[in-house]
Amino acid sequence: MEFMIMVEPGVRVYVNDINPSGNKTIIFLHGWPANYRLFEYQYNILPHMGYRCIGIDTRGFGNSDKPWSGYSYDSLADDILEVIKTLDLNNVTLLGHSTAGAVAIRYMARHNGFGVSKLVLCAAAAPSLIKRPNFPYGQNKEDIEKVFIQGAYDDRPNMLENFGRIFFYKQVSPPFSDWLFQMGLQAASYATIAISKDWITEELFSDLPKIHVPTLIMHGIHDQVVPYQLGVVQNQGIRNSKLITFENSGHGLFYDEMDKFNRELTQFVG
């Protein structure tokens, strides 16, 4: 079931509700610069196991509307709230990958986890994707500015293709790589730039202690985008959280170790 949900006047986000009659609901939030299809290899399996899978395209990405503004973590968290309220969802598992993991954390803190009973963070870009004076982990600010922001201004297709080369740890086929590349191209260029700027300005150190639901953290040790140490910090900052290390995964752990990912996710959701 596919539809558009109005999250604010003039802005709609795309939602794909797979197996609406499922017993337990998982909301999938994709990372930059993809769309809900990023979790195709979960949608193929989990609905057969009785799960309801709801994929959301972030505003500016995929099939969602692409407004000029509204790309702060606060705004993106508010969009999630509108989807949950519109669909009258409760007792759901909220799953966020990469940047969407950070947005999921902001949602839990900003909206007191409304409707959410469990949280899953996959290679989440939190509490900060960049290194800061008192935070030695993550990427260098200058690299984000040069590679992703200026790269998008100068040659976005080339930037996206290079990003795809470091996304997975396992070897993927050229068609598979192109599949990921095409998802990135579907986004609005200004949306990809705005989110890249968020990586520099957004911090979630004070958000982590506000999470009060069971939380599963999954992170690959070979992640070249969001270093593994960020998962360790999340585990230290979120009460009642569990960190699962993926020894043979990069940033795309949901595909690098697909069977393990699906198994850990379903065991956690129950």
Side-chain angles (χ1 to χ4, degrees), residues 26 46 93-97 101 104-105 108 116-124 211-219 231-232 234-235 238-246 253 260-270:
I26 306 173
L46 272 57
T93 296
L94 183 64
L95 183 153
H97 173 256
I105 291 172
M108 299 302 293
V116 176
S117 60
K118 293 183 179 181
L119 177 67
V120 180
L121 304 175
C122 316
I211 297 173
H212 303 294
V213 300
T215 301
L216 175 66
I217 301 166
M218 297 189 281
H219 217 117
V232 175
Q234 294 160 27
N235 183 220
I238 301 174
R239 285 172 288 178
N240 199 18
S241 66
K242 179 182 180 181
L243 172 62
I244 302 295
T245 300
F246 282 64
L253 68 167
K260 178 178 179 178
F261 184 93
N262 291 345
R263 182 174 64 254
E264 294 290 350
L265 175 59
T266 54
Q267 287 178 354
F268 175 71
V269 175

Side-chain angles (χ1 to χ4, degrees), residues 12 47 87 107 113 149 159 233 255 257:
R12 303 165 305 158
L87 297 181
Y107 176 84
I149 298 174
M159 181 272 291
V233 173
Y255 184 75
E257 294 183 79

Side-chain angles (χ1 to χ4, degrees), residues 6-240:
M6 188 78 70
V7 293
E8 67 179 46
V11 180
R12 303 165 305 158
V13 298
Y14 170 88
V15 175
N16 192 2
D17 190 350
I18 306 168
N19 190 28
S21 62
N23 295 323
K24 295 187 177 181
T25 302
I26 306 173
I27 297 176
F28 290 85
L29 306 177
H30 67 85
W32 178 101
N35 55 53
Y36 89 97
R37 292 181 177 86
L38 193 68
F39 296 104
E40 178 174 316
Y41 295 89
Q42 282 65 57
Y43 304 143
N44 289 344
I45 303 297
L46 272 57
H48 292 291
M49 302 171 66
Y51 293 96
R52 178 185 185 184
C53 299
I54 298 177
I56 303 173
D57 280 352
T58 300
R59 67 163 67 198
F61 297 77
N63 296 314
S64 288
D65 288 343
K66 298 173 175 61
W68 173 248
S69 61
Y71 297 101
S72 70
Y73 287 0
D74 284 353
S75 294
L76 299 180
D78 293 349
D79 289 351
I80 298 168
L81 178 65
E82 290 306 313
V83 171
I84 289 177
K85 285 184 173 180
T86 300
L87 297 181
D88 193 25
L89 300 174
N90 59 77
N91 196 34
V92 305
T93 296
L94 183 64
L95 183 153
H97 173 256
S98 194
T99 301
V103 174
I105 291 172
R106 177 58 52 81
Y107 176 84
M108 299 302 293
R110 181 173 171 85
H111 297 296
N112 197 31
F114 179 85
V116 176
S117 60
K118 293 183 179 181
L119 177 67
V120 180
L121 304 175
C122 316
S128 172
L129 182 59
I130 67 167
K131 297 175 182 177
R132 300 183 186 275
N134 296 316
F135 190 72
Y137 314 112
Q139 304 288 349
N140 293 316
K141 174 186 174 183
E142 295 75 19
D143 291 337
I144 297 296
E145 292 173 332
K146 178 181 179 180
V147 175
F148 294 101
I149 298 174
Q150 196 59 47
Y153 280 120
D154 294 342
D155 189 341
R156 184 168 68 107
N158 182 64
M159 181 272 291
L160 291 173
E161 187 174 73
N162 289 334
F163 179 68
R165 292 194 180 103
I166 64 171
F167 198 90
F168 298 103
Y169 180 63
K170 68 182 291 184
Q171 186 70 33
V172 298
S173 68
F176 191 97
S177 181
D178 187 61
W179 171 73
L180 181 67
F181 175 65
Q182 293 299 328
M183 275 194 280
L185 285 180
Q186 193 177 359
S189 58
Y190 49 84
T192 65
I193 292 169
I195 297 293
S196 299
K197 291 180 178 179
D198 283 345
W199 299 337
I200 296 173
T201 58
E202 295 276 11
E203 299 180 28
L204 297 105
F205 296 99
S206 62
D207 296 67
L208 298 181
K210 297 178 182 178
I211 297 173
H212 303 294
V213 300
T215 301
L216 175 66
I217 301 166
M218 297 189 281
H219 217 117
I221 63 172
H222 302 286
D223 196 328
Q224 297 183 60
V225 181
V226 180
Y228 174 78
Q229 187 61 38
L230 269 69
V232 175
V233 173
Q234 294 160 27
N235 183 220
Q236 294 169 343
I238 301 174
R239 285 172 288 178
N240 199 18

